[in-house]
Amino acid sequence: MSKEKKKNSKRLKKREIAKRIMDFFTSYPKEGFNYKQVSRAIGIENDVQKMLVLDLLLEMASDDFLKEIERGKFKLGICQTVCTGTFERKNNGKNLFIPEDGGIPALIYERNAGHAMNGDTVKVQLFAKRKKNQPEGEVIEIIKRAKSSYVGILQVVKDFAFLVTDSKILANDIYIPKSQLKGGKNGQKAIVEITEWPENAKNPIGRIIDILGDSGNNNTEMHAILAEYGLPYKYPDIVEKSGDSISDKIPKEEIKKREDFRNVTTFTIDPKDAKDFDDAISIRKLPNGLWEIGVHIADVTYYVKPNDIIDKEAESRATSVYLVDRTIPMLPERLCNQLCSLRPNEEKLCFSAIFEMDDQAVVKNSRVAKCIIKSNRRFTYEEAQSTIETGKGDFKEEVLALNSLAKILREKRFANGAIAFDREEVRFDIDENGKPLNVYFKESKESNHLVEEFMLLANKAVAELIGKVPRGKKPKTFVYRIHNSPDPEKLANFGEFIRKFGYKLRTEGSKTEMSKSINRLLDQVEGKREENLINTVAVRTMAKAIYSTENIGHYGLAFDYYTHFTSPIRRYPDMMVHRLLERYLTGGRSVSANKYEKICEHCSSMEQLAATAERASIKYKQVEFMQNRLGMVFDGLISGVTEWGIYVELNENKCEGMIPIRDLDDDYYEFDEKNYCLRGRRHKKQYRLGDAITIKVAAANLERKQLDFQLV
């Protein structure tokens, strides 16, 4: 090195040395170096400054920018300075970047967001991490937009308009030229597609795709919820017409191919407002003294052929969507409510799982067959429950026998390690305009369990029929419903959480031991004020069940083989299962696993979207219901704790609202994430998850689906 360079190296400031170190490691992200090698590479020869290099290396390692791979040797940390991941928008301007490699989330302030929108896949330049601070970064490239169309309220002026959206979704309103308004009026809700966003423009530019109607109108708001999650809110006419053209006549040749159950006692049990009856149960005593139980499922795939217009629409939707006041069906109405619906006193085609079992519910024989049935009666759950409780009513012997067998099946399932999640579901009585008049809770009773147990039995039997093969033989590609065991860290955190209420949970051991421990906990909390809260946190601890061609079993049900076979009217995976089952039972070859895995991923994704939309519709109706209760006082439980406030669920109606942290003005409160609480800095007062609390309803914002509470 020249004397001049040596002289310059002596004058380098700490900041400049740190920058050189960062640049050097970024250039060699996969290699490790000690302080001498780094010093030489960045032009440091002065011994004092070499010691400064070592100090900086140790400091950068403690900040996770570097990783000490062995004593005195460092390499670039887990997340490189440029990372790819997902952008999550927050309405407080402190957006998040979630690295795709599972690294530490980085903070992206609005000034560094670079036109990124919620859910976008982005490339981010991470800044040097400061000690004890969350990593920060700047969006340098938008790789893939999560969506291009948005729902909001139109603000129309003379020559142009803006679509005003929720700030959690989009920070800037969408500018709409007059030529792209499509007759939209001020205050209406609309769906707008972003057509461009010039680099130096503050607002994106868009065009109206559809006008949903006046803000506040029930139909408008329900359609807006669906559109917000990219779910369809109307059925294509061309697909409806295709459904209408299908004949309701069953050819005699088809009947001859099938087992005839038309003279066997058969009935459906469904919710009182259901129209799509996709399962029925038959029962009779056989000469050998065994019970023959038939689980008969609508043969949808007899009518819907692979890749026809109805099938393509069903695959795209993947599921029916159930909002508070309506069902958005997967299939055209003629199919789901008429041709395929197992209505009483009508001959219907079914795909059936048939079991022979003794009085102890031990299955002696089973088979899967195509059948024709004629349901004798349509029960509501309430009617079947009345028969179970009183021993009176239509087909009382059959209903009571089925209930007796179902109870034994249920006991066996829990003895094998199935988990008993029975959470209250919020339901509404609504008037003809969709206005909520009353809130009530749907409880699972014996009639619900009766149907559930026989559907589970059928799904399990079908999965075993295809998936359970002799050792050394490879099973054919099939669609399974799988559920992984809980993440150990989440389970440990849950165990720590319930300890605050005086409960214990086993977090290590075999699957059966842990699931039995969870069941004991759920039994212990039953009827206690914290029951719903602990059930909610327990559900969050569990993995989500998904569809896959790779079978790992179903942890929650304690089944090694499980699928969805029993609801083809409302779920596309069940249609896939019906087709694969028929193919394999007639000697067909295995199908492409890759093709079916992609469809499984799509169905799992659509199921999550549908569930999110359903929750949004419930939230909307809860806020609408509470609008007339401003100023009223309610008791509740703290159901969530965050850095911006505490969420409270009301005991009376399960409506949830928030007390902002700024309204807790008796102290400076800090968020303790590990202990699920806010703690006052001076007086040490705590607001913990699960604490009883009394609130007053302060505000109800329908547009944001948000309730604001005040502490009483």
Side-chain angles (χ1 to χ4, degrees), residues 272-331:
K272 57 188 174 186
D273 56 352
K275 295 175 184 173
D276 53 346
F277 315 138
D278 49 14
D279 57 80
I281 300 175
S282 69
I283 178 170
R284 64 178 166 186
K285 201 78 181 245
L286 297 174
N288 61 10
L290 296 176
W291 292 104
E292 182 194 69
I293 312 295
V295 179
H296 304 286
I297 309 302
D299 193 356
V300 173
T301 56
Y302 171 80
Y303 298 100
V304 182
K305 302 305 177 189
N307 297 315
D308 71 11
I309 190 169
I310 298 174
D311 184 55
K312 285 178 179 174
E313 183 69 21
E315 183 183 334
S316 171
R317 291 173 178 244
T319 180
S320 294
V321 183
Y322 296 88
L323 301 189
V324 165
D325 66 337
R326 68 194 66 203
T327 300
I328 297 84
M330 181 180 79
L331 296 170

Side-chain angles (χ1 to χ4, degrees), residues 4 20 22 34 56 135 150 183 213 222 306 430 508 533 566 588 632:
E4 184 61 34
R20 288 191 184 188
M22 288 166 66
N34 60 34
L56 283 166
Y150 293 85
M222 293 301 108
I430 52 178
E508 292 178 341
L533 180 69
T566 53
M632 291 177 68

Side-chain angles (χ1 to χ4, degrees), residues 44-308:
I44 299 289
E45 292 197 348
N46 179 292
D47 287 340
V48 174
Q49 291 209 318
K50 280 182 185 178
M51 289 299 102
L52 181 55
V53 168
L54 179 58
D55 288 345
L56 283 166
L57 292 175
L58 291 167
E59 193 176 303
M60 288 177 179
S62 71
D63 281 350
D64 296 328
F65 177 77
L66 297 180
K67 188 177 181 183
E68 193 168 7
I69 51 175
E70 56 184 76
R71 188 172 174 83
K73 195 170 185 180
F74 303 85
K75 68 174 283 190
L76 196 65
I78 296 169
C79 199
Q80 299 167 13
T81 52
V82 175
C83 289
T84 301
T86 305
F87 180 82
E88 282 188 7
R89 179 165 294 290
K90 305 291 180 185
N91 55 5
N92 60 1
K94 295 180 179 180
N95 310 307
L96 282 183
F97 166 74
I98 313 297
E100 64 184 4
D101 65 0
I104 301 167
L107 195 60
I108 310 287
Y109 285 101
E110 199 56 52
R111 62 182 178 273
N112 297 320
H115 293 179
M117 295 185 267
N118 192 52
D120 286 355
T121 303
V122 296
K123 197 175 277 186
V124 161
Q125 173 77 53
L126 292 175
F127 305 147
K129 186 176 179 290
R130 289 173 296 172
K131 206 161 191 173
K132 295 183 181 177
N133 280 41
Q134 188 175 0
E136 292 179 29
E138 178 181 9
V139 175
I140 55 173
E141 185 186 344
I142 295 162
I143 297 170
K144 185 183 175 186
R145 289 286 188 198
K147 58 192 285 189
S148 59
S149 58
Y150 293 85
V151 177
I153 297 176
L154 289 173
Q155 282 187 353
V156 182
V157 292
K158 191 177 178 184
D159 295 317
F160 59 89
F162 282 100
L163 185 83
V164 181
T165 63
D166 188 329
S167 60
K168 282 187 285 189
I169 297 165
L170 199 60
N172 306 79
D173 302 331
I174 303 170
Y175 172 81
I176 306 161
K178 192 176 184 180
S179 61
Q180 301 294 336
L181 252 178
K182 276 193 176 177
K185 295 174 185 171
N186 195 52
Q188 287 187 319
K189 282 210 162 174
I191 306 171
V192 168
E193 179 185 45
I194 292 177
T195 52
E196 61 174 319
W197 195 340
E199 194 171 330
N200 296 320
K202 182 183 175 185
N203 301 85
I205 300 167
R207 66 181 184 89
I208 287 183
I209 297 174
D210 198 6
I211 295 160
L212 297 172
D214 294 333
S215 182
N217 172 277
N218 185 62
N219 271 343
T220 300
E221 297 299 341
M222 293 301 108
H223 287 171
I225 286 169
L226 292 164
E228 183 182 336
Y229 296 105
L231 295 166
Y233 51 91
K234 51 190 175 185
Y235 216 91
D237 288 339
I238 190 170
V239 185
E240 287 279 15
K241 284 174 184 171
S242 180
D244 291 341
S245 69
I246 298 173
S247 170
D248 60 356
K249 299 287 184 285
I250 302 173
K252 287 182 180 176
E253 315 82 78
E254 186 59 38
I255 294 173
K256 285 177 186 173
K257 295 178 194 172
R258 294 173 178 255
E259 288 195 36
D260 194 340
F261 275 76
R262 286 175 291 185
N263 294 318
V264 182
T265 300
T266 305
F267 40 78
T268 59
I269 307 176
D270 290 280
K272 57 188 174 186
D273 56 352
K275 295 175 184 173
D276 53 346
F277 315 138
D278 49 14
D279 57 80
I281 300 175
S282 69
I283 178 170
R284 64 178 166 186
K285 201 78 181 245
L286 297 174
N288 61 10
L290 296 176
W291 292 104
E292 182 194 69
I293 312 295
V295 179
H296 304 286
I297 309 302
D299 193 356
V300 173
T301 56
Y302 171 80
Y303 298 100
V304 182
K305 302 305 177 189
N307 297 315
D308 71 11

